[in-house]
Amino acid sequence: MNKTIIVSNRLPLQISIEENDELKVVPSVGGLATGMKSVHADGNGIWIGWSGITDEDLDESLEKKVNSKIKEAKCRAVGLTEKDIEDYYLGFSNRTLWPLFHYFTEYTDFEKTHWEAYRRVNQKFADVVVDTIEDGDTVWVHDYQLLLLPAMIKAQKPNVTIGFFLHIPFPSYEIFRTFPWREELLTGMLGSDLLGFHTYDYERHFLSSVKRILRLDVKFNEISYYDRIIKVDSFPMGIDYEKFYNAALQHNDPKTEKSELQKRLDTHLNEKDDKKFILSIDRLDYTKGIPNRIRAFEYFLNAYPEYKEKVRLVMLAVPSRSGVPQYQKLKRETDELVGRINGQFSTVSWTPIWYFYRSLPFENLIDLYTSSDVALITPVRDGMNLVAKEYVATRTNQDGVLILSEMAGASKELNDALLINPNSFDDFATALNRALTMPLEEQKSRMKILQKRLKRYTVEKWAEEFFKSLEATNQVQEVVVSKKFNVTVENQLITDFKKAKNRLILLDYDGTLVGFKDNPQDAKPDKELYSLLDGFEEQENTNLCLISGRDKETFENWFGNKTYDLITDHGVWMRQKNEWEALERLKTDWMENIKPILMSFVDRTPGTFIEIKKYSLAWHYRTADPELAQVRTMELNTVLTSMVSNNELSVLQGNKVIEIKSSNVNKGRAANQLFVKNDYDFILIMGDDWTDEYMFEAAPEMAYTLKVGYVKTKAKYQIKGPEKVRELLQKLK
Ligand code: GDG
């Protein structure tokens, strides 16, 4: 039976070493563990991650004990050293990726040794994963600590399905491009078959970086990457709604005994009947906007002095990453601010801010959620923010108001909250005033809509949707690979070639025999290619012909002293036995009219240029901004449409090029001249471009037609790239 493997930095277990080396293992109750329950605990799943104990703290016997406990919980541990944690976790993950992806560029370190540790540790994870999985298994990798892992797994196990989910934002291209190892990071992520983000914005930012940095083809939300199609989608993570709702119900039951914290909260409420609670809960992290929130609260008290002694901000800041200097600084700043504001406003009976710097048990979290009138959740950047959703789930009477930052992913779903820009103190003050005076009816109608969404799209549903989508990627891949040029076809082709008496090999040049270069003139034949092609000159009964959109002069220059056949200018000219012959008689007077139009596109689209050939004009946009180029190609097509029909011209969409040429010329017509001339019993045709489709269409049924690349084609088979083409030709020599 196929397995499902979940991989995250930490295992969903808290393991502690007690006295006498006794182990205490407590399962984590976080959102992720809940969402994964159906695939992990109940299904045929294994969770891989770090146990939380470094190698240095484990001797051989303790390690055995730990591993056996981990195994009981259907987990497998990745061993990490103190140095790994220092450089990969506290270093690269939390001092590079975390700040950069949250737009804190000034906090971002680009430390090469940390990057190397990140690579090394991702490989440690890959080794354990590869050792655990078999073909047909499914792997789901989580979060920013493991961005390189998908490609590392795929390289060794191409037949497993890999999903990846990023829990934090993916930044805009302008931020991501500053990252020194950007290509490698993206390539690491592209080992996945499905990439998931919380919101459409993160998805679109990621795709933009893939297009601009890796220059890959992206259609809607699918990336063509060699022989694979990678799907990218957004899956907003939900919460365990019932758990929070039921806990709140129980809490509100008068029979339930009150916690110490609740008693303290109650005394506050009794101080004055009309006093209100404003709640904020976050990890103490600079992305959560805590100092800013405190300052905004001060601004609010000054702007609306009538609230003095009537409201209280209850702030829970959960200690986090205290080994990273910025977090230590944030702690000092928060302490100081709370002290200053409490000093400034407090009276004998009122302290405006209650500040807890600790983590609380779940029951106390519910005390806070249920006792508050307003939740003030105002991160400056946040992938999703589950606290906002949990607050909503605990409002069993549907009262209460959520004030939420637009910069939290959750704001995309929670439109009925009061959404604010966390950088505007006026927004804060107005929203707080509105929340504190909101009629109960409006509170209820808003809360009802918020709850409806969260109740339906829970964390289980989120995991289910992701898995469904991940399984569907297999079907996409099957379509892509159905035409794959596999070993069986290759062997048959070689056998047919060997026994044939009269062979034709028809090869496109750019993208087929050589890779693309930014400037077409740089894509000259190399030594290896010459020797490969020359080999066919010596073979008996073998007619080799290169067929290209290149002009006659260029080919004459490159292959002038060779004896093989050439067809140039998309089929205008043919050279056989060193004699050039014009296959078509063409007019060129239209060129003078079209040239200025193309020139205006060059002027307005940096990175593009015109190639002037004898019988055609080509506008190349390989190095232009891909998004701008997409707009301009549509614009150019529209402009050209009316002009070309009057002049019997056609517009060809090549690989990052638009070419205008006479309509009655194409590679298919030219190739046909060869097909009919001889009674071939073996024909091999290879090409990568849209214009090569004419050849595939015109080819006799017995021909082997091979498309280079994995896009839709009329060819019978598809092959990866020029390297593979050369390997095949080598085998025919
Ligand atoms: C990352 C992304 C994204 C908090 N304090 C206590 C406590 N919590 C629980 C909350 C909530 C969770 O921790 C915090 O989740 P958030 O989503 O708010 O924030 P991050 O930790 O930054 O999480 C974030 C998330 O991943 C999921 O993808 O939403 O954007 O940054 O569940 O209830 N729980 C207990 N005591 C506490 O003191 N028991």
Side-chain angles (χ1 to χ4, degrees):
M1 194 177 155
N2 289 341
K3 301 188 291 299
T4 304
I5 283 92
I6 303 153
V7 196
S8 63
N9 173 50
R10 282 292 295 270
L11 285 173
L13 305 167
Q14 301 290 340
I15 306 176
S16 43
I17 308 167
E18 309 279 293
E19 272 171 42
N20 305 330
D21 279 358
E22 280 307 309
L23 290 179
K24 194 172 147 208
V25 182
V26 187
S28 307
V29 285
L32 192 58
T34 313
M36 297 290 117
K37 214 185 272 164
S38 54
V39 276
H40 179 230
D42 308 342
N44 191 21
I46 300 173
W47 197 313
I48 294 174
W50 180 50
S51 67
I53 308 173
T54 54
D55 293 352
E56 286 83 349
D57 286 337
L58 290 172
D59 57 29
E60 212 174 302
S61 86
L62 196 57
E63 189 179 355
K64 258 197 190 147
K65 271 194 210 165
V66 170
N67 282 342
S68 105
K69 285 277 184 202
I70 287 175
K71 204 170 165 200
E72 270 169 39
K74 299 180 73 178
C75 294
R76 261 194 87 171
V78 178
L80 299 183
T81 62
E82 272 163 22
K83 182 99 180 98
D84 288 339
I85 290 302
E86 185 63 34
D87 292 352
Y88 139 86
Y89 180 70
L90 292 171
F92 200 74
S93 299
N94 289 333
R95 292 175 70 168
T96 307
L97 292 174
W98 179 269
L100 186 72
F101 280 35
H102 285 89
Y103 294 70
F104 279 78
T105 45
E106 72 279 22
Y107 284 3
T108 310
D109 285 348
F110 296 122
E111 190 70 53
K112 192 149 184 248
T113 51
H114 290 173
W115 164 244
E116 278 156 5
Y118 185 77
R119 252 211 222 124
R120 183 183 71 233
V121 172
N122 270 252
Q123 191 57 55
K124 282 191 176 185
F125 274 80
D127 293 344
V128 179
V129 175
V130 167
D131 185 56
T132 312
I133 54 175
E134 289 149 310
D135 283 0
D137 286 350
T138 302
V139 185
W140 186 356
V141 181
H142 288 269
D143 229 0
Y144 65 102
Q145 301 90 352
L146 300 172
L147 293 169
L148 299 176
L149 183 58
M152 288 173 171
I153 302 172
K154 201 60 146 196
Q156 290 190 63
K157 293 274 178 186
N159 297 325
V160 298
T161 309
I162 305 174
F164 179 88
F165 189 83
L166 186 69
H167 289 261
I168 65 173
F170 194 92
S172 91
Y173 165 70
E174 285 302 329
I175 296 284
F176 186 70
R177 68 193 292 217
T178 63
F179 180 66
W181 306 280
R182 56 201 177 183
E183 285 91 356
E184 201 174 334
L185 208 71
L186 289 177
T187 313
M189 294 173 80
L190 292 185
S192 322
D193 299 289
L194 171 67
L195 284 145
F197 298 90
H198 279 307
T199 73
Y200 174 65
D201 283 336
Y202 309 153
E203 172 189 338
R204 137 182 112 65
H205 290 156
F206 171 74
L207 288 174
S208 174
S209 279
V210 164
K211 274 192 267 186
R212 286 154 195 261
I213 295 167
L214 299 181
R215 300 209 156 260
L216 293 180
D217 278 332
V218 175
K219 291 220 173 64
F220 300 106
N221 63 342
E222 291 182 348
I223 305 168
S224 302
Y225 189 55
Y226 297 110
D227 54 344
R228 297 191 295 120
I229 301 279
I230 298 160
K231 215 175 147 202
V232 183
D233 214 337
S234 53
F235 304 86
M237 187 174 174
I239 55 163
D240 185 351
Y241 188 88
E242 293 298 314
K243 178 176 151 190
F244 284 88
Y245 186 83
N246 291 334
L249 268 188
Q250 198 189 349
H251 173 276
N252 294 343
D253 184 341
K255 283 182 270 174
T256 307
E257 200 189 321
K258 291 191 171 175
S259 68
E260 284 311 310
L261 176 71
Q262 187 62 52
K263 286 180 198 155
R264 198 172 156 204
L265 294 169
D266 285 349
T267 41
H268 160 84
L269 288 172
N270 292 336
E271 282 166 9
K272 253 192 190 158
D273 288 345
D274 55 354
K275 213 167 255 172
K276 295 212 168 167
F277 257 155
I278 302 164
L279 174 69
S280 94
I281 296 183
D282 339 66
R283 274 187 307 103
L284 190 71
D285 194 298
Y286 49 81
T287 61
K288 304 286 183 183
I290 296 167
N292 192 55
R293 188 181 311 149
I294 302 170
R295 287 195 189 95
F297 185 59
E298 176 188 24
Y299 181 88
F300 163 74
L301 289 177
N302 285 324
Y304 296 89
E306 63 272 29
Y307 284 109
K308 284 182 190 166
E309 302 209 316
K310 297 215 169 134
V311 294
R312 176 167 286 156
L313 177 62
V314 179
M315 231 177 65
L316 173 66
V318 181
S320 177
R321 302 173 197 168
S322 43
V324 177
Q326 271 101 15
Y327 289 73
Q328 294 156 1
K329 191 171 146 251
L330 175 68
K331 164 84 173 56
R332 282 196 302 275
E333 190 183 357
T334 308
D335 289 350
E336 276 164 26
L337 270 172
V338 172
R340 180 169 70 71
I341 289 162
N342 277 344
Q344 186 185 335
F345 291 96
S346 289
T347 61
V348 183
S349 59
W350 179 64
T351 330
I353 305 176
W354 275 2
Y355 169 50
F356 301 89
Y357 174 67
R358 73 183 76 139
S359 114
L360 292 178
F362 178 70
E363 295 67 36
N364 287 155
L365 208 62
I366 300 294
D367 292 337
L368 290 177
Y369 282 144
T370 49
S371 307
S372 55
D373 304 282
V374 176
L376 188 60
I377 317 273
T378 57
V380 283
R381 261 325 137 172
D382 210 339
M384 171 53 72
N385 196 299
L386 299 178
V387 170
K389 293 186 168 182
E390 292 166 4
Y391 172 72
V392 170
T394 59
R395 309 310 299 180
T396 53
N397 298 325
Q398 298 183 324
D399 57 354
V401 184
L402 169 64
I403 300 177
L404 179 61
S405 158
E406 286 166 8
M407 309 300 166
S411 70
K412 303 282 169 210
E413 293 166 88
L414 306 181
N415 256 317
D416 283 270
L418 298 184
L419 298 183
I420 64 162
N421 177 347
N423 301 306
S424 160
F425 284 3
D426 283 323
D427 265 23
F428 262 100
T430 316
L432 275 171
N433 180 43
R434 190 162 166 213
L436 293 164
T437 54
M438 189 180 282
L440 188 60
E441 219 169 288
E442 186 184 344
Q443 294 181 25
K444 287 192 170 188
S445 76
R446 284 171 179 271
M447 203 50 89
K448 212 165 147 184
I449 301 172
L450 295 174
Q451 289 187 340
K452 195 170 163 206
R453 153 104 205 159
L454 299 183
K455 196 173 169 180
R456 198 172 46 79
Y457 202 83
T458 60
V459 66
E460 285 93 345
K461 182 97 178 138
W462 166 80
E464 203 183 289
E465 291 287 317
F466 186 90
F467 262 104
K468 240 196 262 164
S469 211
L470 187 55
E471 270 162 25
T473 60
N474 288 330
Q475 287 150 20
V476 180
Q477 304 304 352
E478 271 162 29
V479 177
V480 175
V481 296
S482 67
K483 286 187 167 186
K484 206 166 188 174
F485 185 66
N486 59 29
V487 185
T488 323
V489 183
E490 185 182 85
N491 288 341
Q492 187 60 49
L493 184 148
I494 296 170
T495 314
D496 288 352
F497 177 84
K498 286 197 173 140
K499 67 173 191 233
K501 303 267 172 330
N502 203 4
R503 309 151 176 156
L504 171 66
I505 300 176
L506 199 51
L507 303 173
D508 166 51
Y509 182 78
D510 293 277
T512 301
L513 291 172
V514 294
F516 284 103
K517 294 277 171 1
D518 287 348
N519 183 346
Q521 289 314 318
D522 295 340
K524 285 190 195 119
D526 50 89
K527 250 197 194 149
E528 183 199 81
L529 181 63
Y530 277 130
S531 100
L532 192 59
L533 298 177
D534 292 351
F536 288 99
E537 284 185 317
E538 290 140 30
Q539 286 220 32
E540 274 182 44
N541 308 326
T542 306
N543 187 13
L544 170 69
C545 177
L546 305 186
I547 180 164
S548 168
R550 294 261 183 183
D551 60 20
K552 183 171 161 250
E553 288 64 32
T554 307
F555 261 33
E556 178 76 354
N557 217 343
W558 290 346
F559 305 108
N561 58 353
K562 305 293 177 191
T563 59
Y564 30 82
D565 294 350
L566 305 172
I567 296 176
T568 64
D569 301 270
H570 290 289
V572 177
W573 288 99
M574 166 139 71
R575 188 190 76 176
Q576 283 190 303
K577 301 204 172 67
N578 279 320
E579 288 287 325
W580 282 102
E581 162 197 14
L583 294 177
E584 314 277 352
R585 304 258 156 246
L586 296 178
K587 288 197 222 151
T588 52
D589 48 353
W590 55 271
M591 284 189 170
E592 285 314 306
N593 298 331
I594 304 275
K595 241 189 262 170
I597 299 174
L598 294 186
M599 257 341 277
S600 85
F601 275 79
V602 170
D603 292 341
R604 291 183 301 127
T605 323
T608 67
F609 64 93
I610 309 179
E611 188 185 2
I612 302 172
K613 304 190 202 177
K614 216 160 193 165
Y615 299 101
S616 67
L617 291 174
W619 179 66
H620 290 265
Y621 57 88
R622 178 161 302 278
T623 59
D625 177 308
E627 274 158 20
L628 178 62
Q630 200 180 359
V631 174
R632 291 282 193 253
T633 49
M634 282 196 285
E635 206 183 312
L636 182 58
N637 267 320
T638 319
V639 174
L640 291 174
T641 309
S642 62
M643 308 199 63
V644 294
S645 55
N646 299 336
N647 289 290
E648 292 183 335
L649 299 173
S650 55
V651 180
L652 300 183
Q653 299 273 358
N655 195 328
K656 306 277 192 287
V657 56
I658 290 187
E659 188 154 0
I660 303 112
K661 60 171 202 50
S662 197
S663 331
N664 56 355
V665 180
N666 69 51
K667 285 183 177 177
R669 273 168 70 111
N672 214 25
Q673 303 242 2
L674 289 177
F675 301 148
V676 296
K677 262 190 188 160
N678 268 305
D679 197 9
Y680 293 112
D681 56 356
F682 175 91
I683 300 178
L684 168 63
I685 307 172
M686 295 199 267
D688 74 301
D689 202 78
W690 187 83
T691 57
D692 297 317
E693 294 295 315
Y694 288 115
M695 288 200 283
F696 300 145
E697 254 178 309
E701 186 44 41
M702 45 72 75
Y704 282 95
T705 49
L706 267 69
K707 172 87 171 181
V708 183
Y710 295 97
V711 291
K712 215 171 152 224
T713 180
K714 295 226 164 64
K716 285 185 194 153
Y717 305 105
Q718 293 181 273
I719 187 167
K720 193 168 174 183
E723 248 175 60
K724 291 283 167 201
V725 169
R726 289 185 184 204
E727 271 172 34
L728 174 65
L729 292 175
Q730 191 65 40
K731 289 180 188 160
L732 298 181
K733 278 175 66 180

